[in-house]
Amino acid sequence: MIYQSPWWLKTAHLQTVYPALCRKPAINLKIRRERLRTPDNDFIDIDFCGEGRRPLVILLHGLTGSSQSGYIKGLQTVFRQQGWRSAALNFRGCSGEPNQLARCYHSGDTEDIDFLYRILRQREPETPLAAVGFSLGGNVLLKWLGEQGSNVTLSAAVAVSVPLVLNICATKLDSGFSKIYRDRLLLELKEYLDTKLNYLVGIGRHEEADKIQRLGDLSSVKSFWQYDDRVVARLHGFEDVHDYYRRSSSRQYLKAIRVPTLLIQAFDDPFMTPAVLPTPEELSPNVILEVTPGGGHVGFVEGRNPLKPKYWLERRIPRFIAEQGFS
């Protein structure tokens, strides 16, 4: 199943921007939200779609995304049509309500996906499970799969548009048109922190609020190198940005993956360069790397009619999962 960019959406930037700005939200999608208390006295919100004990797919969104992101809702719709259930994890503070600790989420934070997986396995030990992650969520998924090796029972996994080597991606976002994405994401992240700070003060969690206040004035932060050094590294126990990027980049974990996994990357992804792509020697026999010429970053829009766009990932991902005997 080969992806080809349509005539009306040929460039990487159009592929990246179009779904984010123009995609119509899924309708008539019945969602049940469940809040799970985490071991560190915080919470994560999970949006479940589907009923009964049918096969279940865990979904992980990207940076500044949520379970409301178009690519998440689109897959939930397709999975429901396939007769599968889905569980969309909102990373901390992404569900519409700030989380209750200073810690946020980051590209190497695998605690919450592992926690959710253990909960689901405890509830339904025999249910077929799969997982799909996009961008940051894809990095988290691949790193977790590599960390766990044979300790997880998943039928399949798919990771899309993954920043496999974080320092390369951070540098790429400092160049050319990619700076537009960088500036937008940094603005959203700063707003996220401001909202959380006010929330923590309001609920009387002053010790947690102080951790954010000690980060100082972030108005001078203009790159991910700066943000990840000033914010992510400090809030999450890394020595500095170099330590964070080194330990959290998922490419080094690919060799240890034991779950049948499809990794989909676009050669023209404006969030990274081809230098992030692994060599065949870096891949586990269980990992299939599929590099498409076009597609942008979590784009992969197709269809001849601009008024009726289709999304190739919603054909490719279910097909791969089904091919692994997911039923």
Side-chain angles (χ1 to χ4, degrees):
M1 184 184 292
I2 300 174
Y3 172 73
Q4 292 183 326
S5 302
W7 63 268
W8 54 278
L9 219 57
K10 280 291 186 183
T11 73
H13 296 302
L14 287 176
Q15 280 282 344
T16 301
V17 171
Y18 180 88
L21 298 182
C22 303
R23 181 165 188 171
K24 296 179 181 179
I27 58 175
N28 300 323
L29 195 61
K30 186 177 179 180
I31 297 295
R32 175 180 63 84
R33 173 162 291 186
E34 180 178 355
R35 177 161 294 182
L36 299 177
R37 300 302 306 187
T38 56
D40 60 352
N41 196 31
D42 202 357
F43 71 88
I44 51 175
D45 286 330
I46 316 299
D47 282 2
F48 289 90
C49 181
E51 305 294 337
R53 293 279 174 161
R54 297 187 177 191
L56 177 62
V57 186
I58 300 169
L59 300 174
L60 306 178
H61 63 80
L63 184 65
T64 75
S66 73
S67 62
Q68 301 301 308
S69 297
Y71 50 86
I72 297 291
K73 289 294 188 185
L75 269 188
Q76 287 192 304
T77 300
V78 171
F79 289 161
R80 184 186 61 177
Q81 295 167 352
Q82 295 263 141
W84 301 342
R85 292 177 294 152
S86 56
L89 165 65
N90 288 281
F91 289 115
R92 299 198 189 200
C94 296
S95 65
E97 179 180 335
N99 63 304
Q100 296 172 356
L101 298 178
R103 65 171 288 186
C104 309
Y105 65 101
H106 61 80
S107 291
D109 188 353
T110 57
E111 289 182 24
D112 289 343
I113 173 61
D114 190 68
F115 174 66
L116 174 59
Y117 168 79
R118 304 295 167 189
I119 291 287
L120 295 175
R121 265 287 163 251
Q122 183 179 35
R123 292 177 180 177
E124 304 181 29
E126 303 302 324
T127 295
L129 289 180
V132 179
F134 296 87
S135 194
L136 175 146
N139 193 81
V140 170
L141 175 59
L142 293 175
K143 180 173 178 283
W144 175 67
L145 291 173
E147 290 170 342
Q148 295 299 317
S150 300
N151 293 325
V152 292
T153 54
L154 293 179
S155 299
V158 182
V160 179
S161 299
V162 181
L164 294 156
V165 184
L166 295 174
N167 63 322
I168 294 176
C169 298
T171 298
K172 177 64 169 69
L173 286 168
D174 283 336
S175 65
F177 190 86
S178 296
K179 290 187 288 188
I180 301 296
Y181 308 121
R182 178 202 64 190
D183 293 346
R184 178 63 184 176
L185 289 169
L186 287 174
L187 176 63
E188 292 177 352
L189 288 170
K190 292 176 185 179
E191 291 175 347
Y192 168 97
L193 280 177
D194 286 340
T195 299
K196 177 185 284 194
L197 175 59
N198 292 330
Y199 175 76
L200 291 173
V201 171
I203 64 173
R205 303 201 72 166
H206 299 294
E207 184 177 343
E208 295 299 315
D210 287 345
K211 294 177 183 177
I212 296 178
Q213 289 176 321
R214 286 197 293 268
L215 299 175
D217 181 9
L218 300 178
S219 60
S220 63
V221 170
K222 303 298 183 184
S223 75
F224 273 100
W225 280 99
Q226 295 172 327
Y227 181 86
D228 290 335
D229 194 49
R230 287 272 303 276
V231 178
V232 176
R234 291 189 190 182
L235 288 181
H236 300 95
F238 297 98
E239 294 178 9
D240 54 22
V241 64
H242 301 285
D243 184 45
Y244 166 51
Y245 287 166
R246 177 181 58 81
R247 291 165 55 187
S248 299
S249 295
S250 62
R251 194 171 80 178
Q252 63 194 307
Y253 292 91
L254 297 177
K255 193 73 172 179
I257 292 176
R258 298 294 176 263
V259 172
T261 299
L262 175 64
L263 173 54
I264 300 173
Q265 301 285 110
F267 195 78
D268 66 353
D269 191 323
F271 281 55
M272 57 198 80
T273 75
V276 307
L277 297 175
T279 64
E281 292 74 27
E282 292 177 283
L283 298 177
S284 156
N286 301 291
V287 177
I288 298 172
L289 173 62
E290 198 163 272
V291 181
T292 64
H297 188 75
V298 194
F300 303 95
V301 186
E302 63 179 356
R304 295 181 178 180
N305 187 347
L307 299 178
K308 296 181 179 180
K310 299 178 181 179
Y311 296 90
W312 177 77
L313 292 173
E314 292 169 16
R315 293 194 297 126
R316 184 69 187 103
I317 293 173
R319 178 174 175 176
F320 175 79
I321 294 175
E323 288 171 348
Q324 311 313 310
F326 190 68
S327 62

